[in-house]
Amino acid sequence: MKYSFFILLSFLIQLASAQTKLPVIKATSRNVNINDGRIFEKNAWGLSPEIKPDVYTADRTRKTKWVTFYTDIDSIRVKVKPGSKTNFVVLLNGKDSCFTQIASAIPPESKSSGIITHDTIPFTLTAYNAIKLMGIINNTDTLSFHFDISSFGFHITRDALLDRTQLVANKADVLAGKAKANYNKLNKVSKLQFANTVWNNPTILPSNLTAHEMDGRIGWTVFEGKQVEVDYDRSLLIVHSKPVKVPKGYVKAPIVFIRSLPCIKGTFDIQNKKYTGYFAMDTGSEQALILDSTWRARQNFPTNLPLINSFTVRDANGNKYETKMVIAPKLTFNNSTFTNIPTLLTGTITNANSEINFLGNDFFKRFNTILDFKNDVIYLKPNKLKNVKYRVNS
């Protein structure tokens, strides 16, 4: 993690002030359990005395909540609300001070000029349902990024970093076979530009995961507090600095954040029974619909849906899981109903506290979408792609 000198300075000022004392808790292990709102996770955090401060960003919500850090021998409970930051110290083994901050995912309200800007970025919808944007790094390197609503920040694959940018510090030696690439210490990105939209000094993280044939991805968090239109009819991504009036024909629905993923509620109607859950908007996926295994088990979701195909995958430990592609007969959300949707049933057991399903872009591309990350609502309007055939694959 990279943190500015000013953040560190604020910590030093607090420590130096006789009037201000940071709370201190103790630990003999680096592993910390975290209860973030309603979600408890073991070993969710590792203490790092060398990072000052080490910032834990709480799962995004506009409601006030409590976040608790549990060390092996102590704990601290912190109230989190939009824009809040709470600093404290974890004393590790009685000698190492771990300066820690619990921060809201929503930044503090900033004073603005009142002028609303509108940035338009053209995109291409690829054969793999990716929203492809072309970005330029430091005025020299052009890469393809996909807009992924279920991702965070800016990411570039390690292959693209090495082959298509000047960000790998020892690139010449790596290409000559004399050294290994160090992706943890990349050269600085001073400018990232899409059309006329510019991010100055953005944080770029290496990744192994992008949509098919993409060099990198853009997550929703870079548009926090803004309104984003995804117009498939005109192949445009339009970013408004402040929410603007929504045209007629769009239907409004709330966005619910689960693990900081923007989600919407949907309901299956199968054999005269209803199954309701939350769906993350995964525009980075080429699939139409992906159902979580834990959610299916809790819902007693039907196991006899028409089968398209099945296959077996293995995890890092060599465990085998059967994954199936089936046909879901009917799904309704936001007053729109879809039938006969190719649906991927995951075979792995996921975090029981999450139970998030995913709407991939083979589904989502059928709507022109307005995402309001200021008021946490979404507006949807069926577009010219509503009735195209689904892209079914394994």
Side-chain angles (χ1 to χ4, degrees):
M1 300 181 182
K2 296 181 179 179
Y3 302 100
S4 72
F5 168 79
F6 297 103
I7 295 177
L8 175 57
L9 181 61
S10 69
F11 260 84
L12 296 177
I13 291 173
Q14 289 186 66
L15 287 173
S17 172
Q19 302 299 322
T20 304
K21 291 185 179 180
L22 297 181
V24 177
I25 62 173
K26 299 177 181 180
T28 62
S29 169
R30 287 178 178 260
N31 294 328
V32 176
N33 302 332
I34 298 178
N35 190 335
D36 187 337
R38 66 184 181 86
I39 298 176
F40 178 83
E41 188 173 357
K42 294 190 66 175
N43 300 328
W45 186 258
L47 296 174
S48 301
E50 62 276 10
I51 301 176
K52 299 179 181 180
D54 202 359
V55 181
Y56 171 78
T57 302
D59 288 344
R60 188 186 185 283
T61 178
R62 292 195 179 277
K63 297 180 180 179
T64 299
K65 66 174 179 179
W66 292 94
V67 173
T68 305
F69 269 41
Y70 299 94
T71 71
D72 57 331
I73 57 174
D74 209 344
S75 67
I76 186 170
R77 186 169 181 250
V78 172
K79 182 181 288 187
V80 178
K81 59 183 180 180
S84 70
K85 295 180 181 179
T86 302
N87 302 317
F88 59 96
V89 175
V90 182
L91 187 61
L92 179 61
N93 294 320
K95 58 180 181 178
D96 294 323
S97 295
C98 304
F99 298 99
T100 308
Q101 181 181 97
I102 297 178
S104 166
I106 300 174
E109 289 285 345
S110 61
K111 295 181 180 180
S112 62
S113 63
I115 298 175
I116 301 177
T117 60
H118 313 276
D119 298 326
T120 300
I121 307 172
F123 71 80
T124 301
L125 183 65
T126 73
Y128 295 92
N129 293 318
I131 302 171
K132 178 182 177 181
L133 312 170
M134 299 307 298
I136 303 175
I137 295 177
N138 294 341
N139 296 321
T140 58
D141 304 319
T142 301
L143 284 78
S144 61
F145 293 77
H146 67 93
F147 176 44
D148 187 356
I149 305 174
S150 66
S151 183
F152 313 123
F154 296 105
H155 291 76
I156 300 176
T157 67
R158 287 170 171 79
D159 286 344
L161 284 168
L162 180 61
D163 298 336
R164 306 193 61 185
T165 78
Q166 305 305 312
L167 299 181
V168 178
N170 57 341
K171 178 176 179 175
D173 289 339
V174 173
L175 293 178
K178 298 178 181 179
K180 292 184 178 180
N182 185 350
Y183 295 105
N184 294 320
K185 293 185 178 181
L186 298 173
N187 292 329
K188 182 179 179 180
V189 177
S190 58
K191 180 180 179 182
L192 177 58
Q193 181 169 0
F194 296 87
N196 294 318
T197 303
V198 175
W199 279 270
N200 293 312
N201 303 313
T203 298
I204 304 290
L205 298 176
S207 175
N208 290 322
L209 181 64
T210 60
H212 195 73
E213 298 179 343
M214 296 292 102
D215 296 317
R217 66 183 191 271
I218 305 172
W220 75 267
T221 52
V222 304
F223 301 114
E224 176 65 78
K226 298 182 179 181
Q227 190 181 72
V228 183
E229 293 188 48
V230 186
D231 188 330
Y232 294 93
D233 289 328
R234 296 185 293 164
S235 297
L236 293 176
L237 192 76
I238 307 171
V239 183
H240 306 286
S241 60
K242 293 183 178 180
V244 298
K245 184 177 180 180
V246 175
K248 291 183 179 180
Y250 284 83
V251 179
K252 179 181 177 180
I255 296 176
V256 176
F257 287 85
I258 303 175
R259 289 294 179 98
S260 295
L261 295 175
C263 301
I264 56 177
K265 183 181 288 188
T267 300
F268 289 98
D269 192 338
I270 303 173
Q271 300 168 0
N272 296 320
K273 292 185 179 180
K274 296 186 183 298
Y275 306 88
T276 298
Y278 286 101
F279 297 79
M281 295 173 275
D282 190 2
T283 53
S285 171
E286 65 190 73
Q287 305 292 342
L289 186 57
I290 303 171
L291 296 187
D292 174 77
S293 58
T294 305
W295 179 84
R296 298 197 319 267
R298 290 186 184 275
Q299 292 276 337
N300 291 318
F301 194 76
T303 58
N304 59 346
L305 297 181
L307 180 68
I308 298 175
N309 57 39
S310 62
F311 50 96
T312 300
V313 296
R314 291 181 173 85
D315 65 15
N317 297 319
N319 298 313
K320 296 181 180 180
Y321 303 97
E322 184 179 21
T323 302
K324 297 180 179 180
M325 181 77 75
V326 301
I327 294 293
K330 185 177 179 181
L331 173 64
T332 299
F333 79 97
N334 208 36
N335 297 323
S336 294
T337 298
F338 289 79
T339 58
N340 300 323
I341 309 164
T343 302
L344 194 67
L345 306 181
T346 62
T348 57
I349 301 299
T350 58
N351 189 313
N353 290 319
S354 298
E355 297 185 30
I356 307 174
N357 303 311
F358 291 86
L359 287 172
N361 215 38
D362 197 15
F363 188 95
F364 232 77
K365 70 183 181 184
R366 300 160 198 275
F367 295 89
N368 287 345
T369 304
I370 300 176
L371 298 151
D372 183 346
F373 294 124
K374 176 68 173 179
N375 299 299
D376 295 347
V377 293
I378 184 172
Y379 302 87
L380 297 165
K381 179 182 179 181
N383 60 31
K384 63 183 181 181
L385 301 175
K386 179 179 180 181
N387 296 316
V388 300
K389 292 183 178 180
Y390 290 99
R391 185 182 189 277
V392 180
N393 62 62
S394 59

